[in-house]
Each structure stands twice: as structure tokens, then as C-alpha cells.
Amino acid sequence: MTAAEFKALAARTRLSLDGRATLGALLVLVDGLTLENARQEANCSRQAVAAALRTLTHAQGTCAACGGRIKAGRANRK
């Protein structure tokens, strides 16, 4: 994912671009860092970064790990 794609996706999900968890998600999705390294770099909790990643990947509709399509199911509903 490019930085421009990340910025557009973050705007669509209404995540704050200034947030530490969003920075951690950017480091994982754009720069390819592991969740633990991104958490340390962003000075944020693992859970917050994981929640931001989950929000972004569900909005994108594809799994960040395998690239497969995410189906809307009971666990994915808000």
C-alpha cells in the first residue's frame, strides 16, 4: 500500500491522521514493520494499533496478511 492510498483509506474511515495508533497502522501497512516494532515506534499499545489495522483492512475489503476478500459476516458487523 502506498502512503497516498493509506491517507485516502484513513480519511474514509475517519481515523485521525495525527493519532499514534494510526501512525502504527501506517508503519505496518506502508513501511512493512511488524506490529510490535510499529507499536514501539509509534509509542502506542499493541491493542490500539491492532484496532486501527482492523478498521482500515475492513474498510479496504481485503486482508492485510493474505490479500483475500473480507466477507461481511456476523463478527464484522458494527
Side-chain angles (χ1 to χ4, degrees):
M1 174 180 291
T2 66
E5 291 171 337
F6 181 86
K7 186 176 178 181
L9 190 59
R12 193 168 71 197
T13 58
R14 297 183 181 175
L15 286 177
S16 170
L17 293 175
D18 297 329
R20 290 183 288 177
T22 307
L23 173 62
L26 174 116
L27 292 171
V28 171
L29 294 174
V30 177
D31 295 339
L33 268 62
T34 64
L35 185 63
E36 182 61 27
N37 289 341
R39 178 200 73 77
Q40 290 174 348
E41 192 73 28
N43 194 24
C44 191
S45 71
R46 182 189 59 78
Q47 292 87 348
V49 175
L53 281 170
R54 190 170 40 252
T55 299
L56 291 165
T57 54
H58 282 191
Q60 186 181 24
T62 59
C63 176
C66 69
R69 185 170 169 253
I70 296 175
K71 297 177 185 176
R74 183 175 180 174
N76 297 348
R77 292 185 196 151
K78 293 251 175 188

